[in-house]
Amino acid sequence: VQVVVCAGPEQRVGLVVENILDIVQEEVTVRSRATRPGVLFNAVVQDRVTEFLNVDAMIPAAPEPAPAH
């Protein structure tokens, strides 16, 4: 199982993903409008069209953690 952990100001959320292709640091200069819900925008990163997810919108939908025992 591959998980991407996103940290918000009040909680952390793990997103289970099918595959992590690569991790890069690159300035995004050209963006196109998103065509699917949950996507902020699309951009070309290292010659691949990449969807940038709206993680902030996903965090409120995450279930509350179970209480510690």
Side-chain angles (χ1 to χ4, degrees):
V1 173
Q2 295 184 15
V3 178
V4 176
V5 177
C6 302
E10 297 179 16
Q11 76 182 99
R12 288 178 287 184
V13 174
L15 302 174
V16 177
V17 297
E18 183 177 321
N19 194 10
I20 298 172
L21 297 177
D22 201 356
I23 300 171
V24 300
Q25 289 186 347
E26 183 174 318
E27 187 174 334
V28 176
T29 57
V30 179
R31 301 176 181 186
S32 65
R33 182 174 294 163
T35 58
R36 298 183 331 148
V39 178
L40 286 173
F41 60 88
N42 302 309
V44 176
V45 177
Q46 293 190 339
D47 298 324
R48 292 180 179 216
V49 176
T50 305
E51 292 181 321
F52 286 76
L53 301 180
N54 187 352
V55 176
D56 289 336
M58 293 179 195
I59 290 175
E64 290 293 321
H69 295 286

